[in-house]
Amino acid sequence: MEKITSTTSAANAAVSAIHSILIPTGKQVSLGKSTIPSMKTGTSVNNQLLPDLSKLVSCVNTQSSKFPKIAELMALNDSRIDFSGRE
């Protein structure tokens, strides 16, 4: 996990790590002749979850693309502040 920082290089590194995550769409599963209720439920959950997980990763990728620009703005604001304690 990345440390919280407002440097643009750290933001770019974090975003590139996020963009490298890929979730394959997976395969829909079927049970054939199984009548065990928990197996049927597991099959249903799997078939619903994979597309949603793929959408979540896509959304995170989209939102993470904003962080380098935010870091640039924070760095710009930081450069305008005098931290020396002098007025």
Side-chain angles (χ1 to χ4, degrees):
M1 178 169 268
E2 294 293 322
K3 294 180 180 178
I4 296 175
T5 181
S6 62
T7 63
T8 54
S9 61
N12 285 321
V15 169
S16 68
I18 289 171
H19 284 273
S20 68
I21 298 172
L22 299 174
I23 300 293
T25 55
K27 295 182 180 180
Q28 298 291 302
V29 294
S30 63
L31 289 176
K33 297 181 181 184
S34 177
T35 59
I36 301 171
S38 60
M39 293 294 287
K40 288 182 177 183
T41 301
T43 299
S44 176
V45 168
N46 176 75
N47 290 339
Q48 292 172 19
L49 184 63
L50 283 175
D52 291 342
L53 185 58
S54 182
K55 288 177 188 175
L56 175 64
V57 169
S58 176
C59 179
V60 168
N61 277 328
T62 299
Q63 295 303 318
S64 70
S65 296
K66 298 174 184 177
F67 281 89
K69 188 63 175 174
I70 292 169
E72 281 182 39
L73 293 172
M74 291 175 73
L76 179 62
N77 284 338
D78 288 349
S79 71
R80 294 178 179 164
I81 299 171
D82 181 9
F83 291 102
S84 66
R86 295 175 282 163
E87 293 188 24

